[in-house]
Amino acid sequence: MRTIRFTIPYPTGKGQKAKFCRDYGLNAIYSGKFWAKRNRDKDYWHWMVLNCLRQQRIKKEIFSKPVSITFYWDDGLDVDNHAYMGKLIVDALKGYLIENDGKRYVREVVHRFHEGDIVVEVGEV
């Protein structure tokens, strides 16, 4: 079974991780994030994910079978607060590793904690 694993670095510098959590946690959406800011978030994450995939030499190749996508996080957010970031990352994978994000192609999304950068694991179900 095919599995692809790649990392996305957290921002570095004093206070950057806290800002990251404020900007991209699900609570940011609940607080009424303006649509133009959400669009900038989408563009940023699309660029970040594709850049990380290319830097880590992960070939553009669509999975032929349905996948499970697991995220590993290490920040100050509750596990359920990662839904917004997870969605932005999954959307960025469309056309690179997954055909689309509908249930025919993505069967599950899992969020877990670990220590280190963000890790995304895409594997056949």
Side-chain angles (χ1 to χ4, degrees), residues 6 11 14 21 27 35-36 44 46 53 60-61 64 66 71 82 84 89 91-93 100 109 114 118-120 125:
F6 67 96
K14 184 175 173 124
C21 292
N27 289 336
W35 69 267
Y44 168 80
H46 188 88
L53 288 165
K60 182 178 179 179
E61 184 178 349
S64 59
F71 295 100
H82 293 96
Y84 181 49
I89 293 169
D91 285 349
L93 294 174
N100 206 321
V109 174
H114 80 135
I118 301 165
V119 175
V120 181
V125 179

Side-chain angles (χ1 to χ4, degrees), residues 2 4 53-54 56-63 96-97:
R2 183 172 159 223
I4 300 291
L53 288 165
R54 290 176 185 136
Q56 294 166 50
R57 301 187 193 289
I58 295 175
K59 202 167 69 170
K60 182 178 179 179
E61 184 178 349
I62 305 293
F63 277 81
Y96 199 97
L97 293 179

Side-chain angles (χ1 to χ4, degrees), residues 21 25-27 73 75-83 85 111 113:
C21 292
L26 192 56
N27 289 336
W73 307 99
D75 51 42
L77 294 173
D78 296 334
V79 74
D80 59 331
N81 233 320
H82 293 96
M85 286 179 279
H111 296 275
F113 289 120

Side-chain angles (χ1 to χ4, degrees), residues 16-35:
Q16 289 300 304
K17 210 171 198 181
K19 182 181 180 325
F20 172 86
C21 292
R22 276 192 314 276
D23 288 348
Y24 300 114
L26 192 56
N27 289 336
I29 301 301
Y30 280 130
S31 67
K33 186 180 269 195
F34 189 63
W35 69 267

